[in-house]
Structures are given as structure tokens and as C-alpha cells.
Amino acid sequence: MTKIAVLGNGRVGGNLAAALARAGHDVTVADRTPGTAADAARTARIVINATPGAGSLDRLAALREELRDTILVDVSNATTDGPDGLPADLLYPGSSLAEQLQEALPETRVVKTLNTMLFPVMTSPGTLSQAPTAFLSGEDPQAKQTVRELLTDLGWHKEWITDLGGIRTARATEAAILFVPHVIRSTGFTPFAVSLAR
């Protein structure tokens, strides 16, 4: 059992928190109010950023002390929204939210994952007709191993998890969000994920 704080109580955060609690972890969910987030982060070993990506950097940079020596699992994508509310453009072109978070939080081990799929797939990867891929980006091998184990608790088979390397590789997975609005407009809001076919 691991003490986990989920920052963000929307569809993504709520879904992850419920699944991790079912897997036996001690989970606290914090809303967007600074005090609640600080309290949750202060006592957690793993913090999951499920806040809207456009505001994540400011929110988490304010928690620098609370996030010291923790693993920050970043599942958000930082984009501007189009007229229909779907992602339009990357907020950090030439970089990534994960890189910005790691720079702002040097004593926190940031790991990017689960950001290349619609949220239901994060906790039910086996429901898709073919195996999805969960990518890992981060500088700390031990932190990535911990996150890998967390993913297996969520139903991810080991062979479905691909470690891309350092935090800079999150640029590639965050750019995949640009597929999402086109796929949704084409096929509707049906669960899907980016997958490596081998």
C-alpha cells in the first residue's frame, strides 16, 4: 500500500483515485484549492497531477516544498482549447509540461505517463480491442520503476509499458494530444489510446 495524493477531482483524477483505492492504496483526492492540495501533497509518497494542464505549472510550482522528495506522476496535457472545447494547440511548443514541471520542481522526481489516451483507458487498458501502450518519460530510473508498478496495479501488462527515456521525451507523447480532437470528431467519444504495433 502506497500513500498517494491525486491533485484534481475531475473525470481523470476521480477515475484514477477510485481505481488506485480499489487496488489497495491509501488515496487522498485534492481539489483545486491551494490549502487542500498542499495538505494532500505533504503526506504522500506519490502525487498524481490530474489538474487541467493549462494551469498545472502555476499550481504545482506553488507546492515546491510539499512536493520535495516525492514522485510526481504527470498525466496532464497543456493545450489551448478550440471553439468546441477540444485541444487546439500545445501550450509549450518546443518543450513540454513535464519538462516545465521538472525545471520548476528540481527536488521532485517527475514521471510523465498515461497522457496518450482517453481517460477511461488509464484504468481499464484491457477493455480495448488491441493492447494500448503506456509511455514513461523521466530522469529518475527508480521513480519510473515505481510508476511502472503503479501501472500494473491499474491493469497494465508489463509488455504494454514503454520507457522512452528522459523527461525531454515527454515532448513526443504530449504532442500526441493533437490527434485527439480529430479522432473524437471523426469517431465520437469512444475510448482509444496511442499504441505501438510490433
Side-chain angles (χ1 to χ4, degrees), residues 79-89 181 185:
T79 63
T80 61
D81 290 339
D84 56 1
L86 293 175
D89 291 302
R185 291 183 192 115

Side-chain angles (χ1 to χ4, degrees), residues 90-134:
L90 298 175
L91 202 58
Y92 303 108
S95 183
S96 65
L97 173 58
E99 288 173 88
Q100 297 294 315
L101 289 170
Q102 187 62 86
E103 184 176 345
L105 302 165
E107 295 175 273
T108 301
R109 293 169 289 165
V110 178
V111 179
K112 189 82 180 190
T113 194
L114 295 180
N115 64 309
T116 55
M117 61 202 70
L118 289 190
F119 77 91
V121 182
M122 295 177 176
T123 57
S124 300
T127 60
L128 297 183
S129 59
Q130 64 187 53
T133 305

Side-chain angles (χ1 to χ4, degrees), residues 5-10 28-40 50-52 59-60 63:
V6 178
L7 306 185
N9 58 355
T28 301
V29 180
D31 59 26
R32 298 185 195 182
T33 58
T36 306
D39 289 343
T51 64
R59 286 191 190 99
L60 273 71
L63 300 175

Side-chain angles (χ1 to χ4, degrees), residues 100-171:
Q100 297 294 315
L101 289 170
Q102 187 62 86
E103 184 176 345
L105 302 165
E107 295 175 273
T108 301
R109 293 169 289 165
V110 178
V111 179
K112 189 82 180 190
T113 194
L114 295 180
N115 64 309
T116 55
M117 61 202 70
L118 289 190
F119 77 91
V121 182
M122 295 177 176
T123 57
S124 300
T127 60
L128 297 183
S129 59
Q130 64 187 53
T133 305
F135 300 99
L136 297 175
S137 299
E139 297 299 325
D140 188 288
Q142 186 176 7
K144 286 193 285 188
Q145 179 57 34
T146 299
V147 174
R148 186 184 290 269
E149 293 165 5
L150 205 64
L151 292 178
T152 62
D153 289 344
L154 294 174
W156 288 86
H157 296 187
K158 291 179 181 179
E159 62 271 21
W160 297 353
I161 304 169
T162 297
D163 186 345
L164 295 179
I167 201 68
R168 186 184 173 98
T169 64
R171 297 180 185 189

Side-chain angles (χ1 to χ4, degrees), residues 38-60:
D39 289 343
R42 189 177 294 113
T43 58
R45 179 182 176 221
I46 298 173
V47 176
I48 297 176
N49 174 38
T51 64
S56 289
L57 183 57
D58 288 342
R59 286 191 190 99
L60 273 71

